[in-house]
Amino acid sequence: MTEHELPDLPYDYDALEPAISEQVVTWHHDTHHQGYVNGLNSAEEELAQNREEGDFESTPAAMENVTHNGCGHYLHTLFWENMSPEGGGEPSGDLADRIEADFGSYEAWKGEFEAAAGAAGGWALLVYDPVAKRLRNLKVDRHDLHALWGAHPILACDVWEHSYYYDYGPDRGSFIEGFFDVINWDKVSEEYQKCLDHFE
């Protein structure tokens, strides 16, 4: 069975300041993200033990823990990779063209993404939908509620309160503005290209 591990940050803990403070990145990565990794490993161990013993009483709860913690781990990994101290600006190249084609304009995409981030109880995601073969914004609650089957996230913004409350208090909108200042569009474009290579 695979043992999941907390990935290292691709930059220093203070590298995203002033958008996200060193303290928040430390808490968020070392405590919250680590908790999802631990929860995923624990749930998978429980499922394996249940299969071995033929006792499935706790299996449904363990399955829920796999999806909750697994989505938490995977989305946080993308979240860290989606940001860079050299980030910000707007996408370019094929990704920019696709955003304009699927949303009408970058401004329309951004407005919709900001609306999702302002209302979500978990995450705002830009995903590639391989069925419709288009990009979509999703408002996801917790880590997995209102997700779309088969969709592949290429940009993830964590809007759980632990992401911003220490820095911004209840002003989530200012945190979202700060997130746009550190988006690593090169990484988002790389994830988009992976989807094209696989599905188109």
Side-chain angles (χ1 to χ4, degrees):
M1 184 174 63
T2 302
E3 182 80 6
H4 302 279
E5 297 181 354
L6 180 70
D8 293 332
L9 289 171
Y11 34 74
D12 292 334
Y13 285 88
D14 64 352
L16 301 178
E17 292 186 339
I20 307 176
S21 69
E22 178 181 5
Q23 182 63 79
V24 167
V25 172
T26 301
W27 283 334
H28 198 166
H29 178 265
D30 294 2
T31 301
H32 290 283
H33 190 170
Q34 182 68 67
Y36 298 123
V37 172
N38 294 345
L40 177 58
N41 285 327
S42 177
E44 290 191 337
E45 289 170 6
E46 184 174 357
L47 289 173
Q49 181 177 343
N50 290 354
R51 289 190 290 265
E52 183 177 340
E53 297 176 354
D55 180 359
F56 302 102
E57 183 177 353
S58 68
T59 291
M63 288 177 170
E64 290 183 13
N65 284 329
V66 165
T67 56
H68 176 76
N69 289 291
C71 290
H73 172 38
Y74 303 157
L75 289 176
H76 275 94
T77 299
L78 182 62
F79 177 61
W80 303 125
E81 294 174 349
N82 278 164
M83 296 184 290
S84 166
E86 290 82 39
E90 297 183 10
S92 60
D94 292 343
L95 177 60
D97 293 342
R98 191 59 173 269
I99 286 174
E100 183 170 354
D102 289 344
F103 296 93
S105 66
Y106 170 79
E107 290 74 19
W109 166 77
K110 183 180 179 184
E112 186 176 287
F113 189 89
E114 288 175 329
W123 296 84
L125 304 177
L126 173 62
V127 305
Y128 178 76
D129 175 355
V131 177
K133 296 190 180 302
R134 59 157 295 160
L135 296 174
R136 295 186 187 279
N137 287 320
L138 297 181
K139 167 193 163 294
V140 174
D141 295 327
R142 294 177 62 80
H143 298 305
D144 48 5
L145 185 61
H146 310 307
L148 182 66
W149 290 112
H152 291 258
I154 63 172
L155 174 66
C157 180
D158 186 343
V159 291
W160 289 68
E161 287 187 351
H162 61 244
S163 300
Y164 64 88
Y165 218 87
Y166 179 84
D167 290 337
Y168 296 95
D171 185 6
R172 185 190 291 191
S174 291
F175 164 71
I176 296 167
E177 290 177 13
F179 174 73
F180 273 90
D181 290 337
V182 293
I183 291 178
N184 182 356
W185 285 111
D186 288 341
K187 178 61 178 176
V188 181
S189 294
E190 178 184 320
E191 294 298 318
Y192 169 64
Q193 189 60 52
K194 288 179 185 177
C195 292
L196 296 187
D197 292 344
H198 189 76
F199 293 108
E200 292 193 1

